[in-house]
């Protein structure tokens, strides 16, 4: 799974939630320019945090071993 498939929806969700919060009556004093800057900043910061927290891609995981290791070992039963 690529990181970009997850980061873009995170940015969209954060931008939508920030828009809803900033359009409430409590934030009427904030100008439109500042609201846009806050929304863009929140989306960018959340994408950066998401990029680092998601870790490496799943494609970089080592493949499963093809040989059955248990058949080659002697099992000691008591």
């Amino acid at each position: 799974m690529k990181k970009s498939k997850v980061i873009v929806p995170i940015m969209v969700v954060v931008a939508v939630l920030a828009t809803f919060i900033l359009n409430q009556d409590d934030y009427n004093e904030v100008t439109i320019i500042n609201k846009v800057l806050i929304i863009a900043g929140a989306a960018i910061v959340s994408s950066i945090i998401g990029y680092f927290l998601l870790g490496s891609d799943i494609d970089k995981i080592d493949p499963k071993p093809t040989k059955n290791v248990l058949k080659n070992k002697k099992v000691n039963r008591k």
Side-chain angles (χ1 to χ4, degrees):
M1 183 165 87
K2 302 266 184 190
K3 290 181 187 179
S4 61
K5 290 182 182 178
V6 179
I7 290 177
V8 174
I10 289 173
M11 290 177 66
V12 171
V13 168
V14 168
V16 169
L17 290 175
T19 304
F20 283 134
I21 291 172
L22 288 173
N23 283 334
Q24 293 177 354
D25 292 333
D26 298 335
Y27 302 105
N28 285 336
E29 296 89 20
V30 180
T31 61
I32 295 175
I33 295 172
N34 287 336
K35 287 181 183 181
V36 170
L37 289 174
I38 291 170
I39 292 167
I44 291 171
V45 168
S46 67
S47 67
I48 291 171
I49 291 171
Y51 179 81
F52 287 115
L53 288 180
L54 285 175
S56 62
D57 289 333
I58 197 165
D59 297 333
K60 294 181 182 178
I61 296 176
D62 293 337
K64 285 186 174 182
T66 56
K67 294 180 181 178
N68 192 349
V69 179
L70 294 176
K71 285 184 179 178
N72 295 335
K73 289 184 178 181
K74 293 182 180 178
V75 178
N76 293 330
R77 296 184 184 180
K78 292 182 181 181

